[in-house]
């Protein structure tokens, strides 16, 4: 994960270029991993950093903090945010890299919100404090052939029941920006400093207008995060027009191949909710319609991220 | 896995080009997955195929067998080999794709041997019936820099404790054949039709002779499998000189960079054993020595595949 340069460099820039935020402050790093963000904060002048990590990586983080000479400033706490105790009443800043694939898959947002409510001072700062989910549509004939239609004829046998399953699984992969056929629609913005629950259940409309005559094989979701408390706005995008990150994009293949003309709109709704049986999984429903000159389609499709 | 063409095509060729083996025979497919090998056997004229699969993929396999019209010939049995019952006394052939990374990691060999002892007729056939493990040595400065030395300076911090851990983890990756510096040494051949236990505990010597002046950064292990009962010998290699498979190769980085001259030999022993605490993990010990004109080294190194 450290090798995701976009991710780590953005956090590093946010911290090193905004030392005024960190100077003499108490920081809580939620899900600290190797402790890299805590070390950045320490170097930026923090009074103290509490690096909370529940996996065995906490032992590594301790060793790393020590061998880099920051034991006085960074305290690694092995455990869950919900269970650990801090030796301070409140912290000034909570920093965390909590985002999952599709922003919401296996994310740590609820943990961050819990930490916010329990440990952050009233006018405290969350880094990042905004996250937005976007949707666009792509031409993807080659890959759909390779990843989905493949199952129609596997060494001479029909495995279309696996195809059905493959269609239901959003695919985490990088998309070439030249495949983008429509505008990019903002689906939802989350204000991490104010939102009440991190449970991802929502229904949002979308309207994707074709920017050229083309075919649409899939919808593509991605997210941005921002740090609005910096001297100037900072953040990064995981969209297909930005430098690739380990989050890539999330591709949702459509049953239909849509023949869309420039200016025509693919409209619909996306519903996202944790799976009832296994709340780690995410159920996605997409209702879409195109009433075009060359193609009239209306359909509901179900996906499951697991 | 079906998209591993080398693998699936070899099994397909073995079956379709050796129909004489399958004609009117009873086959047991161990770890059938989607049932592809069972379908190949059915198409090649088998009297009956029992496809045993313990995961939920068995349900898919049933649907696939049915939708391809082979329900009369292929019976999918959901369960463990150790627990299922066959409606026949014995089978004529056991086919299985049981190999794991490094041949032995998370493999199904013990299951195949159990099935052999319980269900295979005396002069029955195992497909494949031979598997061999090989070792060679490579120049790999760029990747070692990227994958190992990276941890010496991570955005300005020393994370050498992670480097130590990274060194201990054999890396499954494809190696360019131009990186090969020495001969390829056969470490061990397993005769699946005769061997008593599939537990992978052994110590074997190796002697790798440099074919040019170069540096050695890593040892590379890979395997071949063969089907010796075919009309002519068939099989495939997962070595760096063959077309890539999903098994790739297994790279074991060395503490030392060895400056080796053409004709000089890197000698040693490799010990492989299941980890005592977690038998799914594999412990590997490599003892190596080079007594060369430009480099004299002798060392013991430990690895763990998990």
């Amino acid at each position: 994960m450290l090798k995701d340069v976009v991710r780590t460099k953005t956090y590093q820039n946010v911290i090193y270029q905004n030392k005024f935020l960190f100077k003499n402050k108490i920081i809580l790093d939620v899900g600290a991993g190797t402790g890299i963000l805590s070390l950045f904060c320490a170097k930026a002048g923090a009074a103290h950093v509490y690096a909370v990590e529940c996996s065995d990586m906490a032992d590594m983080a301790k060793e790393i903090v020590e061998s880099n000479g920051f034991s006085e400033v960074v305290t690694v706490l092995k455990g869950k945010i919900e269970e650990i105790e801090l030796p301070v009443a409140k912290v000034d800043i909570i920093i965390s890299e909590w985002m999952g694939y599709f922003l919401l898959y296996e994310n740590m947002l609820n943990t961050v919100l819990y930490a916010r409510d329990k440990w952050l001072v009233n006018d405290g700062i969350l880094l990042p404090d905004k996250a937005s989910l976007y949707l666009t549509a792509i031409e993807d004939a080659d890959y759909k052939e390779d990843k989905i239609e493949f199952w129609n004829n596997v060494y001479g046998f029909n495995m279309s029941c696996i195809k059905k399953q493959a269609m239901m699984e959003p695919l985490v992969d990088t998309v070439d920006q030249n495949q983008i056929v429509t505008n990019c629609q903002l689906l939802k913005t989350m204000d991490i400093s104010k939102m009440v629950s991190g449970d991802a259940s929502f229904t949002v409309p979308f309207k994707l207008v074709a920017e050229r005559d083309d075919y649409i094989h899939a919808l593509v979701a991605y997210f941005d995060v921002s740090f609005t408390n910096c001297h100037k706005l900072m953040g990064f995008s995981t969209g297909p027009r930005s430098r690739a990150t380990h989050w890539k994009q999330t591709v949702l293949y459509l049953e239909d191949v849509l023949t869309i003309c420039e200016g025509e709109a693919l409209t619909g709704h996306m519903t996202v909710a944790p799976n009832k049986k296994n709340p780690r999984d995410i159920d996605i429903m997409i209702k879409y319609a195109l009433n075009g000159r060359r193609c009239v389609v209306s359909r509901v499709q179900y996906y499951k991220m697991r």
Side-chain angles (χ1 to χ4, degrees), chain A:
Chain A
M1 293 282 240
L2 286 172
K3 293 183 180 175
D4 181 338
V5 173
V6 171
R7 183 190 85 135
T8 312
K9 261 282 168 202
T10 302
Y11 277 88
Q12 189 185 39
N13 290 341
V14 162
I15 298 167
Y16 285 2
Q17 293 173 18
N18 295 277
K19 293 203 175 80
F20 72 94
L21 285 177
F22 297 87
K23 189 97 184 137
N24 300 323
K25 295 289 169 59
I26 308 287
I27 322 285
L28 175 58
D29 179 356
V30 176
T34 59
I36 185 79
L37 301 186
S38 295
L39 289 167
F40 288 158
C41 294
K43 221 170 172 179
H48 208 90
V49 189
Y50 296 99
V52 179
E53 170 60 43
C54 65
S55 80
D56 283 345
M57 189 55 82
D59 304 325
M60 288 285 184
K62 273 179 204 173
E63 211 174 320
I64 289 167
V65 165
E66 216 161 285
S67 67
N68 286 280
F70 283 96
S71 305
E72 301 286 298
V73 185
V74 180
T75 304
V76 178
L77 299 164
K78 186 174 182 174
K80 292 185 176 175
I81 279 285
E82 294 81 356
E83 291 162 10
I84 54 105
E85 279 302 319
L86 301 183
V88 290
K90 293 281 174 179
V91 303
D92 300 302
I93 296 178
I94 290 178
I95 193 163
S96 181
E97 194 283 85
W98 55 267
M99 300 79 76
Y101 294 128
F102 184 64
L103 183 58
L104 299 167
Y105 183 63
E106 292 194 346
N107 72 77
M108 287 195 302
L109 180 54
N110 269 321
T111 307
V112 171
L113 297 188
Y114 180 94
R116 178 196 67 184
D117 295 342
K118 185 166 179 182
W119 294 111
L120 191 63
V121 293
N122 269 340
D123 57 346
I125 289 174
L126 282 147
L127 298 172
D129 61 329
K130 289 266 192 324
S132 299
L133 194 64
Y134 294 83
L135 192 69
T136 189
I138 60 167
E139 190 285 329
D140 203 25
D142 291 353
Y143 277 84
K144 197 182 176 197
E145 185 66 35
D146 199 40
K147 287 167 189 159
I148 306 288
E149 307 303 335
F150 168 83
W151 299 105
N152 286 332
N153 185 341
V154 181
Y155 298 90
F157 298 100
N158 177 349
M159 297 197 177
S160 51
C161 58
I162 297 187
K163 177 181 157 183
K164 255 184 245 166
Q165 207 182 48
M167 278 290 296
M168 283 195 68
E169 288 172 5
L171 194 74
V172 174
D173 208 348
T174 48
V175 165
D176 182 339
Q177 58 175 308
N178 295 317
Q179 295 175 255
I180 300 174
V181 175
T182 68
N183 61 310
C184 296
Q185 162 92 58
L186 172 66
L187 292 179
K188 189 179 172 63
T189 291
M190 300 196 303
D191 183 339
I192 319 301
S193 57
K194 294 201 183 101
M195 65 192 294
V196 178
S197 161
D199 289 330
S201 291
F202 56 85
T203 295
V204 285
F206 61 82
K207 183 179 178 185
L208 300 171
V209 180
E211 290 169 348
R212 63 186 188 220
D213 288 358
D214 208 333
Y215 304 92
I216 290 173
H217 298 89
L219 301 183
V220 173
Y222 62 91
F223 65 91
D224 292 358
V225 294
S226 347
F227 303 77
T228 70
N229 293 291
C230 294
H231 179 57
K232 64 178 198 180
L233 184 67
M234 297 182 82
F236 63 86
S237 169
T238 65
R241 288 204 170 87
S242 304
R243 183 168 166 192
T245 70
H246 76 278
W247 286 286
K248 303 179 182 174
Q249 289 90 42
T250 302
V251 182
L252 304 127
Y253 284 104
L254 301 179
E255 283 286 346
D256 314 284
V257 178
L258 308 177
T259 307
I260 198 165
C261 302
E262 192 180 333
E264 290 180 354
L266 175 64
T267 57
H269 286 80
M270 178 189 270
T271 298
V272 176
N275 183 263
K276 272 167 197 158
K277 273 192 201 161
N278 186 350
R280 285 168 65 104
D281 296 349
I282 297 180
D283 291 336
I284 302 170
M285 185 190 78
I286 291 180
K287 206 172 159 173
Y288 64 87
L290 170 62
N291 192 357
R293 274 174 292 150
R294 294 182 177 160
C295 180
V296 177
V297 174
S298 162
R299 194 185 282 274
V300 178
Q301 246 183 283
Y302 298 88
Y303 304 87
K304 184 187 292 241
M305 285 198 86
R306 60 175 170 194

